[in-house]
Amino acid sequence: MEPADDPENRRAQRFRVFKAGTIEFSGNSIPCTVRNLSASGAALEINSPLWFPDRFTLGIASDGSQRTCHVVWRREKRIGVAFEHG
């Protein structure tokens, strides 16, 4: 079980989704899949072996959103991120 999948560790209710996303930083863009989403963060699946920083912008094409976030956990091809507010 991933840390973010434990309801005791969540700040906001998380919903399972399957949306195309992009990890954007320094003019680069890496495709990812948003697997679940809440008001405070998300779990992402990355199939690329490329390195990316712990802080980046998550773009979700289907709703046109862009959120600055930081990595809170990494496990194989999945990462958990928290959205930054302000």
Side-chain angles (χ1 to χ4, degrees):
M1 178 181 289
E2 295 165 359
D5 285 341
D6 181 354
E8 299 297 318
N9 291 337
R10 290 193 195 143
R11 289 183 293 171
Q13 185 174 2
R14 193 162 277 198
F15 299 95
R16 290 186 187 274
V17 296
F18 190 81
K19 296 183 176 189
T22 54
I23 293 170
E24 302 167 5
F25 61 96
S26 302
N28 297 306
S29 179
I30 297 173
C32 67
T33 303
V34 181
R35 298 308 302 248
N36 58 49
L37 188 62
S38 76
S40 62
L44 311 176
E45 187 171 305
I46 292 93
N47 291 321
S48 170
L50 298 175
W51 175 89
F52 56 90
D54 286 338
R55 188 171 184 271
F56 56 86
T57 299
L58 172 64
I60 302 175
S62 64
D63 59 16
S65 68
Q66 288 195 314
R67 302 285 302 268
T68 302
C69 55
H70 63 272
V71 176
V72 292
W73 57 264
R74 292 182 190 241
R75 186 164 294 127
E76 296 179 10
K77 293 184 175 185
R78 293 192 94 171
I79 64 169
V81 299
F83 297 136
E84 297 179 0
H85 301 283

